[in-house]
Amino acid sequence: MRIEPVIQGVVARTAHPLGCEQAVLQQIEYVKSAKPITQGPKRVLILGASSGFGLAARIALTFGGANADTIGVSFERGPSEKGVGSAGYFNNLAFKKFAEREGHIAVNINGDVFSDAVREQVVEAIETYFEGEVDLVIYSIASGMRRKPGSDEFWRSAIKPIGDAVSGATIVLENDTWVDTTLEPANDEEIDSTLHVMGGEDWESWIDTLINNESIAPGCKTIAFSYVGPSITHPIYLDGTLGRAKIDLHQTSHSLNLKLANFDGGAYATVCKALVTKASVFIPGLSPYMLALYRVMKEKGTHEGCIEQMHRLFSDKLYSHTSVPVDGERLVRMDDWELNPNTQQRVREVLAEMNGSNFQQMGDYAGFKAEFLRLNGFGFDGIDYDADVDLERF
């Protein structure tokens, strides 16, 4: 069948398997040419490994000098009568193929990261493939819902402000339009549910499970990804339900750090740059800022995608020092280039002029949308998108 990009709102409904493979390959080629990761981990568990920062971290650690073996957990759908399959499904297949081709262990576990069954599979895989221990655990989960333990009910996250309504604009990728929106404040139940889904509770529970199963190696580290952003994004992000959950994640890193100190290891919340991911495009009011940021950072030559961010994290921060460089709140700051004062001043100037009539010209909308399409396997040179794809091969 011929696969074309189909976008509904800000959700991709199709993915191209050959394009996803090319996306993985290009990231591999980048890390092989970059500064090598030295003294990196050899046995890595990635919870949320199929796209964005999780996939980039897996690629960087396997092919960027550390030569790590990996277990990747994600919840992806393959080809079926209902659709062609998700980009993450094809990313996992491509990564495994390229990793095993170079002699690396690459285990893919497809299932709900919040379920007991998946935990049992992970512990068994660690015992089978990693001699029972992991050196690094990456928590990169971006889910809108989480099953309550021992129940058929779910917590559902809500991306809303807290206290007061907030107005902003969202870019609808489906039809390239600017939509002004006003978000009403979250109620207490929505705040609490978002904390359960996107805070640090599940991260800590996973580490506790690994400790209890004696799966933590000496010196083991764990990281989880976060975002803070500049003051202009705080009303919808840091001061809202998402920010409240991320603050909980940061606090969780401190308790986990104490636990892993018993293994001479550590736990860190890693604050990343604003980037186009399957999760970030859902955040109302953030896309105009990202259009301006992409334009400014590309002009300054400081723009990074997920793979550049992750490779710099491991080569320059997490494994290049006797101690991990952190700020006063024990956060690893990968958003240092984004929050450069000159960069932010220029971003504010661009945003002041941006509106629904000129956003495609004022911001880097072309780059923003092209990056979104590439997340789903579209827009790569050398691929005949008019050709039929035999999905039975995947």
Side-chain angles (χ1 to χ4, degrees):
M1 63 179 297
R2 183 172 178 265
I3 303 175
E4 297 180 334
V6 177
I7 303 173
Q8 183 177 348
V10 293
V11 179
R13 294 301 184 190
T14 57
H16 201 288
L18 300 181
C20 291
E21 182 175 281
Q22 186 64 27
V24 170
L25 184 59
Q26 286 189 5
Q27 292 179 77
I28 291 172
E29 291 172 346
Y30 169 79
V31 299
K32 283 185 173 182
S33 66
K35 172 184 175 181
I37 301 166
T38 59
Q39 301 177 341
K42 300 301 181 185
R43 300 166 297 182
V44 182
L45 169 64
I46 306 103
L47 303 170
S50 60
S51 65
F53 290 121
L55 175 63
R58 194 179 192 188
I59 290 170
L61 290 167
T62 299
F63 298 98
N67 294 315
D69 296 324
T70 60
I71 298 170
V73 182
S74 57
F75 202 3
E76 301 294 341
R77 66 185 188 279
S80 70
E81 295 177 356
K82 297 181 179 180
V84 300
S86 63
Y89 177 84
F90 298 119
N91 290 339
N92 286 339
L93 291 180
F95 175 84
K96 184 177 179 68
K97 180 177 79 171
F98 292 129
E100 291 182 343
R101 184 177 291 173
E102 297 195 17
H104 301 293
I105 295 171
V107 179
N108 292 333
I109 295 176
N110 191 9
D112 182 1
V113 74
F114 300 125
S115 71
D116 291 337
V118 165
R119 292 191 186 215
E120 292 171 4
Q121 289 182 59
V122 167
V123 170
E124 183 178 344
I126 292 171
E127 189 67 34
T128 302
Y129 298 101
F130 287 174
E131 299 178 331
E133 295 180 331
V134 291
D135 304 312
L136 174 66
V137 181
I138 298 172
Y139 191 86
S140 181
I141 300 300
S143 175
M145 55 192 279
R146 174 187 169 198
R147 185 186 296 274
K148 298 179 180 180
S151 170
D152 290 332
E153 298 181 352
F154 291 84
W155 289 299
R156 299 181 187 276
S157 61
I159 304 175
K160 290 185 175 183
I162 294 175
D164 298 309
V166 171
S167 296
T170 296
I171 311 299
V172 181
L173 293 164
E174 179 181 358
N175 51 17
D176 306 318
T177 56
W178 169 292
V179 178
D180 290 308
T181 58
T182 298
L183 294 176
E184 296 301 319
N187 58 39
D188 289 343
E189 182 180 352
E190 289 171 324
I191 295 170
D192 181 67
S193 292
T194 306
L195 276 174
H196 282 294
V197 176
M198 306 188 75
E201 183 178 73
D202 187 63
W203 181 25
E204 184 160 23
S205 179
W206 264 100
I207 299 303
D208 286 343
T209 295
L210 296 174
I211 290 174
N212 292 336
N213 282 277
E214 300 182 343
S215 300
I216 297 293
C220 179
K221 295 184 176 74
T222 184
I223 60 171
F225 300 122
S226 184
Y227 183 69
V228 173
S231 59
I232 54 177
T233 68
H234 287 181
I236 186 57
Y237 198 96
L238 190 63
D239 298 336
T241 54
L242 278 177
R244 185 74 62 88
K246 293 304 182 183
I247 290 171
D248 182 73
L249 190 80
H250 301 171
Q251 293 171 340
T252 300
S253 73
H254 304 323
S255 63
L256 288 178
N257 195 57
L258 293 174
K259 292 179 180 181
L260 290 182
N262 295 320
F263 302 87
D264 296 322
Y268 306 92
T270 301
V271 183
C272 297
K273 171 197 173 189
L275 284 169
V276 177
T277 66
K278 289 194 296 183
S280 67
V281 294
F282 274 98
I283 303 173
L286 190 64
S287 42
Y289 167 74
M290 292 178 66
L291 297 189
L293 181 70
Y294 269 48
R295 170 186 165 178
V296 172
M297 293 192 75
K298 286 181 179 179
E299 289 174 351
K300 291 180 174 292
T302 56
H303 175 73
E304 293 176 305
C306 289
I307 191 62
E308 291 86 1
Q309 278 264 291
M310 291 299 97
H311 193 80
R312 183 162 68 94
L313 168 64
F314 298 121
S315 64
D316 290 3
K317 304 267 188 176
L318 211 60
Y319 291 102
S320 64
H321 304 267
T322 53
S323 61
V324 177
V326 294
D327 68 3
E329 298 178 32
R330 281 198 68 258
L331 301 173
V332 179
R333 301 306 293 256
M334 297 306 298
D335 60 348
D336 45 357
W337 297 356
E338 173 184 354
L339 297 185
N340 174 278
N342 291 333
T343 295
Q344 284 301 313
Q345 176 59 35
R346 181 61 185 136
V347 168
R348 286 192 292 270
E349 292 170 358
V350 173
L351 280 173
E353 298 182 47
M354 190 183 296
N355 56 48
S357 300
N358 66 11
F359 72 92
Q360 295 197 38
Q361 293 74 41
M362 289 300 302
D364 181 27
Y365 182 68
F368 180 88
K369 186 166 185 178
E371 194 162 316
F372 178 82
L373 290 170
R374 285 195 295 272
L375 284 176
N376 299 286
F378 297 101
F380 289 95
D381 294 336
I383 293 178
D384 183 0
Y385 288 100
D386 290 324
D388 287 337
V389 178
D390 181 7
L391 289 176
E392 291 185 0
R393 290 176 47 207
F394 303 92

